[in-house]
Amino acid sequence: MLARSGAVFTSDVHLWLTALVVTVTILLWASARLPEFITALLFFAAAMLLHIAPAASVFGGFASSAFWLVLSGFILGVAIRKVGLADRLAHVLAPRLSASWPRMVGGTIIISYLLAFIMPSNMGRIALLMPVVGALAKQAGLKEGSRGWVGLALAVGFGTFQLSASILPANVPNLVMSGAAETAYHLHLGYMPWLFLQAPVVGLLKGAILTLCICWLFPARPQTVTRGAPLPTLSREEWRLIILLLLTLILWMTDSQHGISPAWIGLCAACFCLLPRVGFISSEAFASGVNFRTCLYVAAILGVTAVVVDSGLGHLIAQGLLRITPLDPATPFVNFVSLSALTSALNFVVTANGVPAMFTPMAQSFADASGFPLGSVIMLQVLAYATPLLPYQASPIVLAMALGNVSARDGLRLCLLVALIGLVLLLPLYYGWFLLLGYL
């Protein structure tokens, strides 16, 4: 009996230590009191010194495909800028988008959304778009670090992550949710039903709101770019990089057929860019162009998620939230708002990639308590995990902020404003759309 009590006490202490480390890490990231990479290193050190989880969980982010997509994204971005492809594409886009600031922001967001239909990786899309948008900003007279520059960088990050949640294969949390639903309930989520349910609110309306928010928070006056002299013909280096990018894009688009993860495809392309003689990037350019601070940050975000899930802390938090969540079949709108709020609360602890892994297995309990169909409970979490309250909750946004040298404060302001408007405006419309389509 005493041994059993001791084991329970030890388990409780372990959970409290885990909760303390995770809470302090999240608060430091949220408040930006320390540079994000220092907080990441402190998390790794504290987790290992206090033995809150095995090393495989703490450092699991380095084995994650998301980490390698971030690193590959930096390398491909450096190559695109170095050979001149970014400036060439910006030269084509600038006359069409620089007529006004709303047009430039809206055009950037539309491009990021359309690219999600053909390219499955958020990180890959950001890696391709950021150098082009950076060159576009410079041609329109927006200096690096200016309000306009920051606005365009955030348009890429937020547009890429948040809007792509409306397309089933274009977002990692979507795939996690789809896999969890199939594993737990043998429920197959189809491409077109998903698109028809999510695209009007999560895609189109969210894109319009995002454009307005960026234009308001980060006002700018781009210089109208007229068509200049024709560009010189493509160089041999540019042709080789175009062929490499096309092959990478084709393999990314067909990953469901060949089964190779987009991360390893991106890593192979990045390795080619670094090869002597045939590549495009020197050792010096690699050292100066790749932001290892962000790579550490992303690895730590993924490590926190793994620790929370593996330690059982996430399950305890989810169960605790369920006990205090008001669910009653007689109040469907309150149920809808409550379940969305629960998803947002989980986003603080396990970030966007981990939310559907925690929420979906418990969806049957939520469905029984709320009176909603199981499929509807599973699908309603999309808007919440696609609307982070803090930048660290979505690693693609973190990557875009790093590539654009955007401060944590600017990212936080946009996160909070979009989330506030989402709560006031989008959530009731989302509920109405579910009702109209017969999901509730």
Side-chain angles (χ1 to χ4, degrees), residues 106-371:
T108 300
I109 290 173
I110 288 170
I111 291 170
S112 71
Y113 188 38
L114 293 177
L115 194 56
F117 282 93
I118 61 171
M119 188 174 175
S121 166
N122 277 326
M123 302 295 193
R125 293 195 300 275
I126 289 172
L128 291 179
L129 279 177
M130 278 303 297
V132 177
V133 171
L136 173 65
K138 288 180 180 178
Q139 290 192 20
L142 303 175
K143 296 180 180 178
E144 186 169 354
S146 67
R147 306 309 291 160
W149 177 285
V150 169
L152 286 181
L154 291 174
V156 173
F158 279 70
T160 296
F161 173 75
Q162 296 201 0
L163 307 192
S164 66
S166 65
I167 307 165
L168 177 55
N171 191 298
V172 171
N174 293 359
L175 298 175
V176 173
M177 189 173 99
S178 176
E182 195 156 347
T183 301
Y185 310 110
H186 304 289
L187 182 64
H188 177 70
L189 304 177
Y191 182 97
M192 288 307 297
W194 183 296
L195 185 67
F196 196 62
L197 179 64
Q198 305 293 349
V201 176
V202 181
L204 302 179
L205 287 177
K206 188 83 165 291
I209 287 172
L210 190 55
T211 301
L212 293 174
C213 289
I214 291 174
C215 290
W216 183 59
L217 286 178
F218 308 101
R221 291 184 178 178
Q223 298 172 3
T224 302
V225 179
T226 56
R227 291 191 180 276
L231 290 171
T233 56
L234 288 164
S235 66
R236 185 180 174 187
E237 270 199 331
E238 286 176 305
W239 272 118
R240 288 196 297 114
L241 183 54
I242 288 172
I243 293 170
L244 175 65
L245 292 174
L246 285 175
L247 287 173
T248 304
L249 184 59
I250 290 169
L251 289 171
W252 271 337
M253 290 168 61
T254 56
D255 66 330
S256 59
Q257 278 75 48
H258 53 66
I260 303 174
S261 168
W264 316 137
I265 295 167
L267 183 58
C268 289
C271 289
F272 184 88
C273 291
L274 293 168
L275 288 174
R277 295 188 179 89
V278 297
F280 313 99
I281 303 173
S282 64
S283 299
E284 293 75 17
F286 171 75
S288 61
V290 176
N291 190 336
F292 290 103
R293 293 171 42 156
T294 301
C295 295
L296 282 173
Y297 181 22
V298 171
I301 290 172
L302 298 169
V304 167
T305 301
V307 166
V308 169
V309 173
D310 293 349
S311 66
L313 179 62
H315 182 72
L316 284 178
I317 291 171
Q319 291 294 335
L321 289 171
L322 177 59
R323 281 194 291 271
I324 63 173
T325 301
L327 296 176
D328 185 343
T331 56
F333 181 68
V334 174
N335 293 342
F336 196 90
V337 173
S338 298
L339 290 172
S340 297
L342 190 150
T343 308
S344 295
L346 288 176
N347 209 353
F348 278 96
V349 185
V350 293
T351 70
N353 289 354
V355 166
M358 295 297 303
F359 185 96
T360 307
M362 296 187 294
Q364 187 64 65
S365 299
F366 300 146
D368 294 339
S370 64

Side-chain angles (χ1 to χ4, degrees), residues 382-409:
V382 174
L383 178 62
Y385 68 59
T387 311
L389 288 169
L390 300 172
Y392 83 89
Q393 295 172 346
S395 49
I397 292 177
V398 170
L399 174 60
M401 289 172 62
L403 288 171
N405 293 317
V406 177
S407 69
R409 182 171 176 270

